């Protein structure tokens, strides 16, 4: 059977996790560049607009007219992107709650993980975010709805209430699960090393999205894709990156790289607390040697060769599923995107392949009802029994 893979190009569109960075440089400009590439190739992409940030800008705009100008431009950028046929969906970073604005900088002190908030508090944030986006976009398309959710820093499981809350808000599917990731950082603790399904859509256990339910549930999980990059490509990618850094230092010694989003700030926010030297060596050097390096399919972090490895891995798994149509969610972060040329080359290649199609998140949600098969635990056991 011929298998068609339906790729959703998803992008978490936001400032840095600690609220730093310039909105124009990290969001407006790279988004326009990316959308221009999509438009040229006839692809419709999807953007997970982080709305807590925007609502916070609005809350402070009366005292700070510069924030009003940026918030207005945010609205206009989102509307213009949507008008051109791209999708906009819900993304929430709770650390923006009760943020303070001092001397032109944001100070975020609230918890980073939605899992640490009460049902009521989480409900308030998600409800307001959904209403903001729907209000903004429904006069362009009255049928527009928030149908998917990506939680800030992937925090969705386990939780006694998060999936119920999403159902209550009319969300059709969540895409916060990335099988295999584990964070134990200052801001985030989560463990997705034991996910029962890392590739295909499934009905989750309602209190633990890492597990596949026995039965049909009122919400679907579509995992965000990840793959094992070969040792050879990872090594080459790191050497290229290091060479790039040295080149930058020589040619532009005083320029802050990364659009004002410093590598040091990123490293500090995401540094693993699990700190023994031996465990670091094991994780970074020994595990990849046997299995390849576990890599989130985040296009901003990959070069062309790694993107092609990712696509090959997706093709293999799609075919192995025995299904005619498989949806796959790829990630991106506009704020980290620098290598537009490699991304364009990859998209051009994928767009020319007869077994690849591109879909938006709204299309993905619609097709979960008919075209795309959604797993239950029973269907997994059934398939395993047939295999024996
Ligand atoms: Zn985010």
């Amino acid at each position: 059977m011929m298998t068609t893979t339906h790729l959703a190009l998803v992008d978490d569109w936001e400032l840095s996790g600690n609220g730093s960075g310039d909105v124009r440089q990290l969001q407006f400009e790279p988004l326009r560049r990316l959308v221009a590439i999509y438009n040229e190739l006839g692809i419709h992409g999807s953007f997970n607009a982080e709305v807590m940030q925007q609502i916070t800008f609005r809350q402070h705009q009366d005292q700070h007219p510069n924030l009003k100008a940026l918030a207005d431009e945010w609205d206009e950028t989102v509307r213009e992107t949507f008008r051109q046929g791209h999708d906009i969906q819900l993304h929430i970073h709770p650390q923006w709650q009760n943020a303070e604005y001092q001397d032109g900088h944001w100070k975020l002190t609230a918890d980073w993980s939605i899992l640490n908030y009460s049902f009521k508090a989480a409900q308030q944030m998600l409800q307001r975010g959904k209403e903001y986006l729907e209000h903004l976009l429904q006069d362009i398309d009255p049928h527009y709805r928030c149908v998917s959710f990506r939680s800030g820093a992937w925090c969705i499981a386990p939780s006694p209430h998060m999936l119920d809350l999403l159902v209550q808000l009319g969300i059709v599917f969540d895409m916060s699960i990335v099988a295999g990731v584990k964070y134990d950082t200052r801001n985030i603790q989560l463990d997705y090393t034991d996910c029962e399904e890392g590739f295909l859509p499934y009905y989750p256990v309602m209190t633990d999205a890492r597990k596949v339910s026995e039965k049909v549930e009122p919400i679907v999980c579509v995992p965000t894709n990840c793959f094992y990059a070969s040792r050879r490509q990872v090594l080459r990618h790191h050497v290229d990156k290091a060479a790039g850094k040295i080149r930058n230092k020589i040619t532009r010694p005083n320029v802050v790289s990364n659009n004002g989003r410093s590598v040091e700030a990123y490293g500090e926010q995401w540094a693993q607390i699990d700190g023994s030297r031996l465990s670091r060596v094991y994780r970074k050097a020994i595990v990849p040697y046997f299995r390849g390096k576990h890599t989130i399919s985040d296009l901003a972090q990959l070069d062309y060769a790694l993107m092609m490895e990712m696509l090959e891995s997706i093709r293999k798994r799609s075919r192995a599923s025995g299904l005619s149509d498989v949806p796959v969610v790829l990630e991106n972060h506009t704020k980290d995107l620098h290598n537009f040329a490699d991304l364009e080359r990859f998209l051009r290649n994928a767009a020319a392949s007869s077994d690849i199609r591109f879909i938006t998140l709204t299309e993905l949600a619609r097709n979960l009802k008919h075209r795309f098969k959604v797993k239950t635990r029973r269907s997994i056991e059934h398939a395993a029994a047939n295999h024996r």
Side-chain angles (χ1 to χ4, degrees):
M1 191 200 323
M2 162 94 176
T3 301
T4 304
T5 303
H6 302 255
L7 293 180
L9 298 170
V10 179
D11 194 305
D12 289 352
W13 192 62
E14 62 204 0
L15 286 176
S16 297
N18 63 0
S20 66
D22 179 301
V23 195
R24 289 202 172 91
Q25 284 187 338
L26 292 186
Q27 295 193 255
F28 305 157
E29 286 163 20
L31 176 118
R32 288 188 194 111
R33 249 181 108 176
L34 181 58
V35 165
I37 293 173
Y38 287 165
N39 290 348
E40 199 198 308
L41 296 172
I43 293 171
H44 291 160
S46 301
F47 294 88
N48 290 326
E50 203 289 300
V51 209
M52 283 293 286
Q53 169 197 321
Q54 174 68 356
I55 290 172
T56 309
F57 272 58
R58 289 280 180 222
Q59 284 166 346
H60 289 75
Q61 67 180 11
D62 291 344
Q63 297 96 305
H64 305 280
N66 62 314
L67 295 180
K68 180 172 188 328
L70 291 171
D72 289 346
E73 194 171 342
W74 190 101
D75 279 1
E76 206 26 66
T77 307
V78 167
R79 287 165 60 88
E80 187 48 38
T81 303
F82 184 71
R83 226 179 262 123
Q84 293 174 36
H86 308 284
D87 201 358
I88 306 291
Q89 290 295 333
L90 187 61
H91 183 44
I92 294 285
H93 276 281
Q95 65 260 39
W96 281 93
Q97 203 172 45
N98 304 321
E100 289 169 50
Y101 191 67
Q102 290 166 354
D103 309 320
H105 297 284
W106 289 104
K107 203 174 152 207
L108 310 189
T109 48
D111 200 300
W112 281 43
S113 170
I114 195 99
L115 301 173
N116 296 331
Y117 291 80
S118 69
F119 179 86
K120 264 235 130 61
Q123 181 188 41
Q124 203 185 35
M125 285 187 263
L126 269 63
Q127 178 86 37
R128 282 167 74 197
K130 171 189 153 82
E131 279 166 9
Y132 192 97
L133 288 182
E134 291 183 348
H135 178 77
L136 187 66
L137 299 175
Q138 277 177 351
D139 62 299
I140 300 172
D141 174 5
H143 299 295
Y144 171 80
R145 294 282 181 284
C146 290
V147 293
S148 70
F149 183 65
R150 160 74 57 65
S151 191
W154 316 104
C155 297
I156 199 69
S159 163
H161 56 242
M162 275 307 290
L163 293 181
D164 285 328
L165 173 56
L166 295 181
V167 172
Q168 197 188 88
L169 295 174
I171 299 294
V172 176
F173 74 94
D174 177 79
M175 51 179 158
S176 311
I177 290 286
V178 202
V181 305
K182 182 176 179 175
Y183 294 119
D184 184 10
T185 73
R186 192 151 57 89
N187 299 307
I188 296 293
Q189 291 84 40
L190 65 82
D191 186 352
Y192 293 169
T193 46
D194 279 325
C195 287
E196 292 180 344
E197 174 59 54
F199 186 64
L200 296 169
Y202 62 93
Y203 294 110
V205 168
M206 292 302 282
T207 52
D208 191 346
R210 297 170 298 185
K211 298 187 175 136
V212 180
S213 175
E214 299 278 338
K215 57 181 202 302
V216 171
E217 299 288 355
I219 191 165
V220 175
C221 282
V222 182
T224 290
N225 193 253
C226 53
F227 67 106
Y228 286 95
S230 72
R231 192 172 159 72
R232 190 170 58 89
Q233 290 299 352
V234 171
L235 188 68
R236 191 196 40 73
H237 183 67
H238 284 163
V239 169
D240 286 359
K241 259 194 160 169
K245 256 183 220 160
I246 292 164
R247 262 200 310 278
N248 260 338
K249 275 199 182 129
I250 295 167
T251 52
R252 312 185 304 162
N254 297 318
V255 178
V256 179
S257 67
N258 228 0
N259 296 342
R261 177 169 154 80
S262 80
V263 177
E264 290 74 22
Y266 182 87
E268 194 211 333
Q269 285 167 50
W270 286 94
Q272 299 277 345
I273 289 169
D274 156 29
S276 90
R277 215 178 101 74
L278 205 62
S279 75
R280 276 204 306 274
V281 167
Y282 179 75
R283 208 172 47 237
K284 290 199 164 153
I286 297 178
V287 174
Y289 184 76
F290 289 111
R291 294 211 295 175
K293 184 179 170 12
H294 180 270
T295 308
I296 301 174
S297 299
D298 184 342
L299 301 181
Q301 305 296 336
L302 308 177
D303 59 20
Y304 179 73
L306 281 168
M307 288 185 219
M308 291 310 290
E309 269 200 9
M310 172 193 78
L311 189 62
E312 260 332 290
S313 136
I314 290 171
R315 278 197 167 109
K316 265 191 203 138
R317 294 169 87 181
S318 281
R319 276 189 231 119
S321 74
L323 300 168
S324 58
D325 294 276
V326 175
V328 171
V329 169
L330 300 183
E331 176 56 349
N332 202 344
H333 280 94
T334 336
K335 64 186 175 192
D336 293 324
L337 194 54
H338 301 289
N339 194 343
F340 288 87
D342 273 24
L343 179 58
E344 181 171 356
R345 191 173 157 211
F346 164 72
L347 292 176
R348 211 175 270 286
N349 182 313
S353 309
S354 59
D355 61 337
I356 302 289
R357 275 189 210 155
F358 293 101
I359 48 167
T360 64
L361 293 171
T362 298
E363 290 164 344
L364 203 167
R366 204 179 301 135
N367 281 304
L368 284 172
K369 293 193 180 81
H370 306 291
R371 184 187 292 231
F372 300 141
K373 193 164 164 38
V374 182
K375 280 184 148 183
T376 60
R377 169 165 286 290
R378 242 169 269 163
S379 65
I380 296 174
E381 280 157 10
H382 186 72
N386 282 349
H387 219 75
R388 266 179 230 134

